[in-house]
Amino acid sequence: MDETSHRRGPATLRGRARPSTTHDQRLLDERGSAEWLHKDPWRVLRIQAEFVEGFGLLAELGRAVSVFGSARIKPGSPYYELATEVGGRLAAAGYAVITGGGPGIMEAANKGADPHGLSVGLGIELPFEQGMNAFVDLGMQFRYFFVRKTMFVKYSQAFVVLPGGFGTLDELFEAITLVQTRKITRFPIVLMGVSFWQPLLDWITGTLQAEGLISPDDPALLHLTDDPDEAVRIVIEGHMNAGQADIEARVQAATAEEAGT
Ligand SMILES: C/C(=C\CNc1ncnc2c1ncn2[C@@H]1O[C@H](COP(=O)(O)O)[C@@H](O)[C@H]1O)CO
């Protein structure tokens, strides 16, 4: 590294970006202001603590499915009832049901799950006061969206997505991207509410696929249904395939290890 460069972990800082002091200088030599306490590097510890608490809380969850959907859909609406149904059937099939812990579809899925199995809420701190919905058995309130999103993906074997707005679309497209890029494998994504999602699927095939922006196989990453039983069947089949693939991978690894010794 030349003299005009500065290395900070994996980052290279040159020219204007080069700091005028070192970490040691800032640690040992700075006096007075406590401003640094509010700066980003310090926040990393809070972020880290949130990961540790989340991993600790959910480590023994067992199999689980995350259910996403609008915070604004009210009890009594058909989508609320659908979410209650699918939450109940997933729990009866032995899956913990994880939601964002809020109102609307989240509350509906927790409500359906509650009498049959474990009902989980991963809430998010918002500018307005909002508690966990009344049907959450195991809950945690997160400060950071990205930490919370890691928990949904890490501790679920599938996502079920009901109609929603930006928050729901964000959660859906993150999951599709993770599956498409094989960061998570054998992970069913079920869209419930055919008339709501069909226009999006038409755009995905008619525009994204037609313009070569996704692979021809990609639209098949999404399953579409209005039937809670079919949604649960897709989840269970995906899970069984994942189990089979894991067994095959372990057999292959063991065979390779034996051959090497
Ligand atoms: C808007 C209202 C409450 C917001 N409360 C939320 N609590 C927990 N999780 C939330 C909340 N809002 C959004 N989310 C997450 O995004 C998805 C829903 O977002 P959408 O824009 O409503 O589709 C949901 O799955 C959550 O994970 C007023 O009551």
Side-chain angles (χ1 to χ4, degrees):
M1 187 173 296
D2 64 74
E3 286 197 354
T4 58
S5 291
H6 182 89
R7 181 56 64 79
R8 184 188 288 161
T12 298
L13 309 174
R14 292 201 183 108
R16 283 175 203 283
R18 197 165 178 267
S20 57
T21 57
T22 65
H23 278 287
D24 282 345
Q25 282 170 330
R26 289 193 294 280
L27 176 69
L28 300 172
D29 223 6
E30 233 169 48
R31 298 276 180 277
S33 166
E35 183 102 340
W36 63 275
L37 275 171
H38 305 288
K39 295 221 168 111
D40 287 346
W42 184 249
R43 270 188 204 116
V44 169
L45 295 181
R46 271 202 299 210
I47 293 167
Q48 194 174 317
E50 197 156 285
F51 274 113
V52 170
E53 278 171 35
F55 291 156
L57 184 75
L58 300 171
E60 292 175 18
L61 192 59
R63 51 192 179 148
V65 175
S66 288
V67 179
F68 298 111
S70 170
R72 299 166 192 240
I73 285 177
K74 301 283 180 249
S77 95
Y79 292 140
Y80 189 99
E81 299 310 320
L82 188 59
T84 309
E85 276 290 308
V86 76
R89 290 189 203 202
L90 286 165
Y95 292 91
V97 171
I98 309 177
T99 76
I105 294 295
M106 296 170 268
E107 176 188 288
N110 286 131
K111 182 178 176 183
D114 193 26
H116 305 285
L118 192 61
S119 174
V120 183
L122 306 182
I124 185 75
E125 189 181 278
L126 293 170
F128 45 90
E129 196 63 37
Q130 185 214 297
M132 205 64 84
N133 75 60
F135 303 98
V136 168
D137 300 323
L138 181 72
M140 177 171 163
Q141 195 77 348
F142 288 80
R143 279 198 181 101
Y144 299 100
F145 260 113
F146 62 91
V147 178
R148 174 181 182 255
K149 283 165 81 180
T150 301
M151 303 297 153
F152 286 125
V153 173
K154 183 168 168 59
Y155 293 102
S156 304
Q157 276 76 54
F159 280 3
V160 172
V161 190
L162 283 103
F166 290 147
T168 304
L169 293 175
D170 173 51
E171 286 152 353
L172 169 62
F173 279 99
E174 185 188 40
I176 303 174
T177 308
L178 291 172
V179 176
Q180 185 200 43
T181 54
R182 308 214 178 128
K183 295 287 181 186
I184 47 179
T185 52
R186 305 178 289 271
F187 192 96
I189 302 171
V190 184
L191 302 180
M192 299 199 73
V194 174
S195 60
F196 180 87
W197 292 114
Q198 191 62 60
L200 178 68
L201 290 185
D202 292 343
W203 179 75
I204 287 174
T205 45
T207 301
L208 294 187
Q209 190 184 332
E211 302 218 11
L213 303 179
I214 57 171
S215 304
D217 297 341
D218 286 340
L221 297 175
L222 297 167
H223 304 268
L224 185 60
T225 183
D226 277 331
D227 177 0
D229 286 329
E230 194 187 344
V232 175
R233 186 182 54 72
I234 294 165
V235 168
I236 293 173
E237 273 177 16
H239 197 181
M240 278 164 47
N241 291 343
Q244 188 55 37
D246 277 348
I247 293 168
E248 281 164 21
R250 280 178 210 209
V251 170
Q252 265 182 16
T255 313
E257 200 175 302
E258 238 169 64
T261 53

